[in-house]
Amino acid sequence: MRVRRLHKRPAALEVSAFINLIVVLIPFLLSTAVFSRLAVLELTLPPQSSGALERLKGDLQLEIVIRPDGLNVGDRIGGQIQWIPNTSSGFDYPSLAQLMLELKSRFPEKTEASILAEPGTPYDVLVGVMDAVRQTPVAQGPNVVGHADLFPDISIGDAPIRTAQAGK
């Protein structure tokens, strides 16, 4: 009796469908890749106070302290300039922007400001204060034409701890 043997051929791997998928997928992924421009705002730490040297300078060293009940705008050397209490809807960014515009008109060469936030300050509050300090919209008639730089060089730090006697 004859024995029949099956001749097995090695299986051929069909990769043409996969190659077609890759040929279509790679250009699609490259064309839809987001090459977005990130808006990065460079921030620095506030400089260490040097005591007597700071007193010799007669110019503004602007500090905005974010408190839960309002914004304390002041000069590092001269003390508080203005207290801006919160409104019923939250922080009063328009009043802060108006004050920054007035300060910029008095000190046009200054570009530095320090924003000091208490721990737990919400991020959107910090960004709102930074926006009000950095620039203001320039209007010509009823239309907003552009933005004017106020104090674009912003430093961020921790707010000093408020004592019971210090108040605002």
Side-chain angles (χ1 to χ4, degrees), residues 28-108:
F28 173 74
L29 291 175
L30 287 175
S31 66
T32 60
V34 179
F35 299 109
S36 63
R37 195 183 108 210
L38 295 176
V40 176
L41 179 63
E42 291 186 29
L43 302 174
T44 57
L45 294 175
Q48 292 180 349
S49 61
S50 57
L53 263 177
E54 286 184 349
R55 288 190 199 102
L56 295 176
K57 296 179 186 176
D59 58 0
L60 177 71
Q61 293 186 5
L62 186 61
E63 281 187 341
I64 298 94
V65 180
I66 303 172
R67 301 283 185 198
D69 52 344
L71 302 168
N72 188 3
V73 180
D75 183 12
R76 187 174 299 150
I77 300 166
Q80 181 174 337
I81 295 172
Q82 184 175 345
W83 171 255
I84 303 174
N86 289 349
T87 61
S88 60
S89 61
F91 288 92
D92 193 2
Y93 301 122
S95 294
L96 177 62
Q98 182 62 34
L99 179 61
M100 293 298 110
L101 195 57
E102 291 172 15
L103 288 172
K104 187 63 175 183
S105 66
R106 289 187 205 165
F107 301 96

Side-chain angles (χ1 to χ4, degrees), residues 140-157:
Q140 190 173 31
N143 300 328
V144 174
V145 177
H147 293 285
D149 284 340
L150 297 173
F151 300 96
D153 299 331
I154 296 177
S155 301
I156 295 179

